Amino acid sequence: MRIVDLIDKKKRGLNHTKDEIDFIIESMMNGTAPDYQISAWLMAVYFKGLTEEETAYLTEAMIDSGEVIDFGALADSIVDKHSTGGVGDKVTITLIPLLAAAGVPVAKLSGKGLGHTGGTIDKLESIPNFNTKLSVKELIEQVKKINVAIASQTQNLTPADGKLYALRDVTATVDSMPLIASSVVSKKAASGANNIILDVKYGSGAFMKTPEDAVELSKLMVNIGKILNKNITAVITSMEEPLGRAVGNSLEIIESIEFLKGHIENSDVADLTYSFAAIALMKVGMYDSKSEAKEFLKELVHTGKALEKFKELIEAQGGNSEVINNYDLFELPQYKVECESKKSGYIHSIDAYKIAYACKILGAGRDKKTDPIDYSVGIYLNKKSGEAVTKGDTLYTIYSNDPDKTKIAQQYCDEAFAISYEKTAHSNLIYKIVKPKEDDDVQ
Ligand code: URA
């Protein structure tokens, strides 16, 4: 077999066999296929797609590229959650200590920023000394000891996804349904948890632009989960506007800490965190009712138990947990620029993609896979949709290390905000839930 022939085959829209997909992934892993060939194959997949069968083969090949965590009998009680990627999406960071404090073990494999979206690993690495490179043994031991661990793909865990993910990020091949599905599900299958919750996002800040596409992607992932014996629930949520007020690595960790301190109860971040956590508690059989589960979870935030668990997590992974009480211990940006509203009225919408783009310009994301990240930069939305604004009020704040980049970011942010004279109604954050049914269909 030759990689060039397989690129040509996909370019012409033909289907791969399992052996061919295995060959592509093995050649990438042993270095016989250089990045430029894999990139060309990714672009062919982007345009011609993969069938559900090919996507399942790719997922299996990526799982087989590394170790699979075996929690044994414990696997049925362990939860893993994953987002298909958004802007300001810090719900993994708020959710995992909350679940662990609730007594639900969480084993989480996460990725770095992808395309315009932020990555949980980059965000956590903004905490001084936080180590996300856990070995399989370390991850298992930490989950057994403190109920929670979070790691990036290492050489041990789905390394093929790590490589493809980095190439997709810089070759404009991220927003492809089969590539997203195989990337997400391979990581989840390798993490050893049997209860998987996926946050499948749609909207301007997501890879899927419409709820219909998000439903299709969800069904694909739930079906592949069934083939791999994983119980996947996909929750389809809106990413038209950034989640929360902070976008940028350390800014998002600070907002997550504020949630865990109980300071931002009435917010989209709190709503999604409690909804996902309640779904998880029901999935593992701890609660039958969503409202009772939420009451219990809120109590864990109000009593400080969820925050305490986050502190334990940071310390277990070598990070400086003093950041929880002293935000100045994060890397600080040189400039903080408050930008005023030029109009009075109500915030009608905030385009998540434009805010993400502005953040990338500031240095919060990568252009090339080896690019360093500036953890300190980002954008804080002083106003969110539905809120009243008076001309001259601060609409958003830019955290930056470069005055020229600040100016460009400001243009994108100004374009992102739409202000109307009247208050407009906004749709629910959760659009639909897709679960495997008892029979072979997906509902
Ligand atoms: N998250 C992933 O892990 N992979 C993707 O491809 C997209 C989002």
Side-chain angles (χ1 to χ4, degrees), residues 82-85 114 161 165 168 174 179-180 183-184 187 207:
H82 202 83
S83 158
T84 55
L114 190 61
D161 177 55
Y165 197 88
R168 288 167 57 213
V174 172
L179 295 179
I180 295 176
S183 164
V184 170
K187 277 195 286 280
F207 297 124

Side-chain angles (χ1 to χ4, degrees), residues 416-427:
F417 277 84
I419 298 174
S420 55
Y421 290 113
E422 283 177 15
K423 197 170 170 159
T424 38
H426 289 94
S427 50

Side-chain angles (χ1 to χ4, degrees), residues 357-364 374 377-379 398-400 405-406 409:
Y357 201 85
C359 276
K360 205 160 175 178
I361 287 168
L362 293 171
D374 188 341
V377 299
I379 290 160
I398 297 183
Y399 293 79
S400 166
K405 291 181 182 172
T406 307

